[in-house]
């Protein structure tokens, strides 16, 4: 219980940042027709900001539902590695708690847990779950609040606030930037995504193509550096 409380408190500064773009997401989701309860349900069940933004944009602007699902899945492929890195931390938990811990793990509380564990090996599943519960609670509540406010406001596009979706993505992308090793994969992903859109492909499928190309470049670079077999 001590470590769970510690994790909950330690994550609060990061949770405050997530609440800002969570509110923006809820605001604009409501503007394109999502009810507040639908936004809250999506936030609690999906719990992946990038996937939710892509889904809302695609459902609002096109009928590429399968493409939106594929794009969301592609954007979150990193969670395969994240979950794999938690195997030591989660090995003592019963299966139901493992599933809950994996569901509430996001970029922020995973990074915080691994950083704290590097300093103190006693940090483990309780810290991860405490910080994760705080993050999913803040994220869900902030998106609901944004959706509630969004239903009573005029069309935000008139005020240029439609850019908030893009701004939220930029904020999330900045948190994932690890320096120059990311440059070539990110540039290749961006370039191929733009080319795909220019050739008339639905944006969701363009995201899948760009992410796949970026992943291939990243793997190639790691193999050249001897970081992958």
């Amino acid at each position: 219980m001590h470590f769970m409380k510690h994790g909950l408190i330690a994550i609060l500064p990061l949770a405050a940042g997530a609440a800002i773009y969570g509110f923006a997401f809820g605001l604009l989701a409501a503007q394109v027709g999502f009810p507040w309860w639908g936004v809250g349900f999506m936030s609690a069940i999906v719990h992946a900001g990038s996937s939710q933004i892509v889904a809302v944009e695609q459902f609002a602007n096109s009928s590429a539902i399968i493409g939106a699902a594929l794009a969301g899945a592609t954007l979150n492929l990193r969670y395969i590695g994240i979950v794999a890195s938690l195997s030591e931390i989660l090995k003592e938990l019963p299966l139901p708690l493992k599933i809950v811990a994996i569901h509430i793990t996001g970029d922020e509380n995973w990074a915080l847990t691994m950083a704290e564990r590097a300093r103190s090996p006693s940090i483990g599943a309780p810290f991860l779950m405490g910080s994760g519960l705080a993050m999913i609670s803040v994220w869900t509540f902030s998106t609901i609040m944004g959706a509630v406010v969004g239903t009573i406001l005029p069309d935000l596009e008139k005020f240029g606030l439609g850019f908030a979706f893009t701004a939220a993505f930029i904020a999330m992308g900045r948190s994932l930037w690890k320096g120059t090793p990311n440059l070539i994969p990110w540039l290749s992903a961006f370039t191929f995504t733009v080319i795909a859109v220019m050739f008339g492909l639905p944006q969701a499928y363009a995201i899948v193509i760009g992410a796949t190309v970026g992943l291939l470049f990243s793997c190639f670079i790691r193999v050249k550096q001897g970081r992958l077999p």
Side-chain angles (χ1 to χ4, degrees):
M1 185 61 71
H2 166 74
F3 285 112
M4 183 173 283
K5 182 180 178 181
H6 178 34
L8 191 151
I9 294 173
I11 200 70
L12 289 180
L14 295 174
I20 295 174
Y21 63 80
F23 184 85
F25 165 74
L27 200 69
L28 293 169
Q31 291 276 301
V32 299
F34 276 70
W36 68 266
W37 58 265
V39 173
F41 183 75
M42 181 193 293
S43 295
I45 299 301
V46 178
H47 187 217
S50 55
S51 295
Q52 291 178 236
I53 291 173
V54 167
V56 167
E57 284 193 306
Q58 291 303 309
F59 293 157
N61 299 321
S62 74
S63 58
I65 297 176
I66 295 177
L70 287 174
T74 304
L75 286 169
N76 288 295
L77 281 175
R78 66 187 184 279
Y79 283 109
I80 296 175
I82 286 176
V83 171
S85 72
L86 295 173
S87 58
E88 183 68 22
I89 293 176
L90 301 179
K91 67 179 182 179
E92 301 297 333
L93 293 181
L95 182 59
L97 281 182
K98 283 182 181 177
I99 294 173
V100 171
I102 290 170
H103 177 64
I104 63 177
T105 294
D107 295 311
E108 294 88 352
N109 69 307
W110 169 77
L112 181 63
T113 299
M114 300 309 282
E116 291 291 323
R117 186 173 173 81
R119 288 194 290 265
S120 174
S122 60
I123 296 295
F127 185 95
L128 176 74
M129 295 186 71
S131 56
L133 286 171
M135 283 298 299
I136 193 172
S137 299
V138 169
W139 172 255
T140 302
F141 181 75
S142 64
T143 58
I144 289 174
M145 289 298 98
V148 170
V149 173
T151 59
I152 60 176
L153 290 179
D155 185 1
L156 296 178
E157 292 289 349
K158 295 179 180 178
F159 303 97
L161 292 180
F163 182 73
F165 269 136
T166 305
F169 250 122
I170 292 173
M172 286 186 286
R174 177 64 186 87
S175 68
L176 297 173
W177 175 257
K178 304 300 181 185
T180 51
N182 288 153
L183 185 60
I184 293 177
W186 284 37
L187 278 178
S188 61
F190 173 79
T191 301
F192 276 82
T193 301
V194 171
I195 291 173
V197 171
M198 290 175 63
F199 275 92
L201 210 64
Q203 293 178 7
Y205 294 105
I207 291 172
V208 173
I209 290 173
T212 302
V213 171
L215 181 62
L216 291 174
F217 269 94
S218 179
C219 290
F220 176 76
I221 291 170
R222 287 171 176 266
V223 169
K224 294 288 287 184
Q225 294 175 342
R227 295 166 63 185
L228 286 177

